[in-house]
Amino acid sequence: MASIFAHGFTAFALGKTFSKEITTLKFWILGIICSMLPDADVIGFKFAIAYEDFWGHRGFSHSLVFALLLGILITFIFYNKQFFYKTGLSLILYFTICTALHGVLDAMTTGGLGIAFFAPFDNTRYFLPWRPIVVSPIAASRFFSMWGIKVLLSELIWIGIPASIYILAVQYVKKRKIQPQNNG
């Protein structure tokens, strides 16, 4: 898996696409939670749920169906007044993508059994053909080691830099839209 830092930063970067009217503290917190929540499936290890099972790590909670359901649920619970409007659809899309990107990033890592993108319809685990991100340890104690440093450096290169470029590009486009056109 990618680290929680990488997942949170991708949600932050994606959130920069939205207007200041939508991007409240609640918006940021919920987006970051959605980006990290799929890894709550590691609790299954405590209940003897095997890694490769439907409910196992990188199983259903990493699927596109789960991402959509979570996006709808979060929007309905926290933005119920906007739910049936254009803003609600935008929020569903944001929270869904934040959650789905978790699986995409994990599918780019060097370890694990792959991601069950299509669960519950197909529990086959997939990786992307390009896997440059060093897999993060599941145990927090192992993160504070040479392995953790390698993970952070890998994520800086393959997630941090591209996400930062995305943020800068979005800010540039927004700034250009605000400036009045000079026809003169």
Side-chain angles (χ1 to χ4, degrees):
M1 69 182 155
S3 74
I4 61 169
F5 307 112
H7 292 303
F9 191 61
T10 56
F12 174 76
L14 181 61
K16 288 299 206 174
T17 308
F18 293 86
S19 68
K20 289 184 180 183
E21 292 78 35
I22 294 177
T23 55
T24 62
L25 181 60
K26 176 171 70 171
F27 171 89
W28 293 116
I29 291 170
L30 292 171
I32 290 169
I33 288 171
C34 285
S35 74
M36 296 176 184
L37 192 63
D39 275 341
D41 62 8
V42 298
I43 198 165
F45 294 134
K46 298 280 186 196
F47 298 100
I49 296 173
Y51 192 125
E52 65 275 2
D53 288 347
F54 176 80
W55 294 109
H57 185 50
R58 294 183 167 186
F60 179 67
S61 69
H62 285 60
S63 73
L64 298 173
V65 170
F66 177 83
L68 177 60
L69 293 174
L70 185 62
I72 291 168
L73 183 65
I74 291 293
T75 304
F76 185 74
I77 291 171
F78 293 98
Y79 295 93
N80 57 0
K81 290 181 182 168
Q82 295 100 334
F83 188 78
F84 292 105
Y85 298 97
K86 186 178 175 183
T87 300
L89 185 58
S90 295
L91 291 165
I92 290 170
L93 185 63
Y94 171 65
F95 297 130
T96 298
I97 293 173
C98 285
T99 309
L101 280 175
H102 183 109
V104 172
L105 292 178
D106 281 3
M108 293 173 63
T109 64
T110 58
L113 299 179
I115 307 302
F117 283 116
F118 305 109
F121 309 108
D122 176 13
N123 200 37
T124 304
R125 305 298 181 99
Y126 298 92
F127 280 110
L128 294 178
W130 186 55
R131 297 170 54 193
I133 302 169
V134 176
V135 69
S136 181
I138 292 175
S141 60
R142 290 188 182 167
F143 197 80
F144 299 100
S145 67
M146 192 52 128
W147 184 2
I149 292 170
K150 288 179 182 178
V151 168
L152 291 176
L153 289 174
S154 170
E155 291 177 349
L156 174 65
I157 293 167
W158 300 111
I159 300 168
I161 292 172
S164 296
I165 291 169
Y166 178 81
I167 291 168
L168 292 172
V170 166
Q171 288 176 333
Y172 175 78
V173 169
K174 283 182 176 182
K175 188 175 182 178
R176 298 275 302 168
K177 282 185 176 183
I178 293 171
Q179 291 178 352
Q181 296 294 327
N182 186 356
N183 295 329

